[in-house]
């Protein structure tokens, strides 16, 4: 499948590159395809797509090949975090990456018409609090502590929303945070390192653990711009609705 560019707009400011870090073996069915289709339907501008990692068999668009980091580098969920960090480091310097782009996940879908201006807002939740209830929370807590030690805010931006990224600022972040050596949450570090004003993530984003009926998706799309699903949230109802 060759992904077409979205509707043509006259204003250059409406153009946006959307980027996915993709590991094919970890993908759930065809979420990535529908994530792209949701942008084709709802992004109010000219959208282009880029995939880094593995190339899906059906995808023929812009692509940067970067295999998953070796197993011995990290284990468990930390391997996934370190793999994303390695790919983000590549994005910060690769010539095929535009100066401004939006980082996406394949289980996130745009469900309401959305503008570039809305995407540019850094969105987060509460302040990160110290906690090590699981491995992910431990990494988040460590990231927040390091930011505070640097005199930066520590807003929780690990919301599963897309993230608007300025390539130059990403490269500047990686001069301080070492993505090839450390484990941290890049989106938390990036936004708190560079931003001081944050928008609310809710209700801009809605998440669901399970497949819902059509009426639920319709109601959600009137209030929220993005939908993130857990592993059990992908199914025929959502496919048909989108």
């Amino acid at each position: 499948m060759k992904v077409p560019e979205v509707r043509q707009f006259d204003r250059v400011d409406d153009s946006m590159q959307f980027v996915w870090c993709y590991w094919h073996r970890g993908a759930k069915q065809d979420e990535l395809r529908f994530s792209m289709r949701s942008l084709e339907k709802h992004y109010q501008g000219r959208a282009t797509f880029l995939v880094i990692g593995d190339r899906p068999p059906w995808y023929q668009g812009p692509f940067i090949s970067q295999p998953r980091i070796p197993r011995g580098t990290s284990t468990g969920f930390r391997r996934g975090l370190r793999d994303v960090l390695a790919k983000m480091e590549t994005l910060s310097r690769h010539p095929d990456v535009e100066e401004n782009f939006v980082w996406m996940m394949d289980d996130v879908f745009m469900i309401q018409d959305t503008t570039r201006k809305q995407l540019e807002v850094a969105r987060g939740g509460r302040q990160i609090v110290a906690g090590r209830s699981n491995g992910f929370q431990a990494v988040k807590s460590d990231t927040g502590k390091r930011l505070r030690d640097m005199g930066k805010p520590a807003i929780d931006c690990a919301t599963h929303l897309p993230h608007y990224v300025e390539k130059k600022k990403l490269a500047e972040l990686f001069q301080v945070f070492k993505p090839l050596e450390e484990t941290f949450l890049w989106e938390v570090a990036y936004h708190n390192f560079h931003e001081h004003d944050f928008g609310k993530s809710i209700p801009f984003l809605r998440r669901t653990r399970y497949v819902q009926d059509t009426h639920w998706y319709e109601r959600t799309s009137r209030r929220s711009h993005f939908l993130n699903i857990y592993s059990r949230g992908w199914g025929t109802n959502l496919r048909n609705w989108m």
Side-chain angles (χ1 to χ4, degrees):
M1 171 186 172
K2 184 175 181 179
V3 180
E5 294 180 351
V6 186
R7 306 173 296 278
Q8 298 298 312
F9 282 68
D10 293 333
R11 291 174 295 173
V12 175
D13 288 347
D14 288 325
S15 180
M16 181 62 67
Q17 183 181 51
F18 294 86
V19 179
W20 289 261
C21 297
Y22 185 72
W23 175 44
H24 189 62
R25 286 185 59 189
K28 299 288 191 300
Q29 302 181 53
D30 51 356
E31 290 173 326
L32 176 61
R33 189 197 302 263
F34 279 81
S35 182
M36 291 179 172
R37 287 181 178 180
S38 74
L39 296 172
E40 292 177 336
K41 182 177 181 179
H42 289 295
Y43 177 60
Q44 299 299 287
R46 178 178 178 270
T48 59
F49 301 145
L50 172 68
V51 174
I52 180 171
D54 298 335
R55 183 194 294 273
W58 49 266
Y59 178 73
Q60 299 177 26
F63 173 70
I64 300 172
S65 178
Q66 184 163 329
R68 201 171 192 228
I69 62 172
R71 186 180 299 274
T73 306
S74 287
T75 58
F77 87 97
R78 284 180 177 263
R79 183 185 179 195
L81 294 181
R82 293 289 299 278
D83 183 64
V84 171
L85 288 174
K87 289 177 170 60
M88 295 305 297
E89 194 277 333
T90 297
L91 294 175
S92 73
R93 56 179 172 76
H94 199 283
D96 291 344
V97 180
E98 295 179 3
E99 291 305 311
N100 306 295
F101 64 92
V102 173
W103 180 84
M104 294 283 296
M105 291 181 285
D106 60 1
D107 58 1
V108 173
F109 312 96
M110 187 180 284
I111 59 174
Q112 183 185 137
D113 289 352
T114 305
T115 65
R116 174 177 178 138
K117 185 176 181 180
Q118 290 171 309
L119 291 172
E120 289 177 350
V121 176
R123 300 178 188 272
R126 302 174 180 176
Q127 287 279 345
I128 295 172
V129 297
R132 314 188 80 80
S133 58
N134 57 49
F136 182 80
Q137 293 300 323
V139 174
K140 183 190 293 185
S141 179
D142 291 344
T143 306
K145 181 180 184 305
R146 183 168 179 187
L147 286 162
R148 289 192 183 96
D149 290 345
M150 298 168 61
K152 301 291 186 179
I155 300 295
D156 187 354
C157 300
T159 58
H160 292 268
L161 270 170
H163 296 281
Y164 176 80
V165 179
E166 295 182 44
K167 190 175 175 183
K168 180 180 179 181
K169 289 183 178 180
L170 187 64
E172 291 173 355
L173 175 75
F174 288 158
Q175 292 176 7
V176 179
F177 288 76
K178 305 299 182 183
L180 304 183
E181 303 170 12
E182 306 169 281
T183 304
F184 58 94
L185 300 185
W186 79 266
E187 63 271 43
V188 173
Y190 174 84
H191 288 301
N192 285 284
F193 194 79
H194 292 294
E195 302 289 343
H196 298 285
D197 297 317
F198 293 85
K200 295 181 179 180
S201 60
I202 304 297
F204 198 73
L205 170 74
R206 182 69 186 269
R207 307 184 70 191
T208 181
R209 292 180 179 273
Y210 306 107
V211 174
Q212 307 288 346
D213 61 32
T214 300
H215 297 296
W216 187 94
Y217 296 124
E218 286 291 344
R219 290 195 305 271
T220 299
S221 67
R222 296 188 195 112
R223 191 178 185 204
S224 301
H225 287 255
F226 285 94
L227 175 67
N228 169 239
I229 61 172
Y230 290 73
S231 59
R232 294 182 181 180
W234 182 245
T236 302
N237 288 1
L238 180 55
R239 287 168 55 104
N240 291 342
W241 178 76
M242 288 198 296

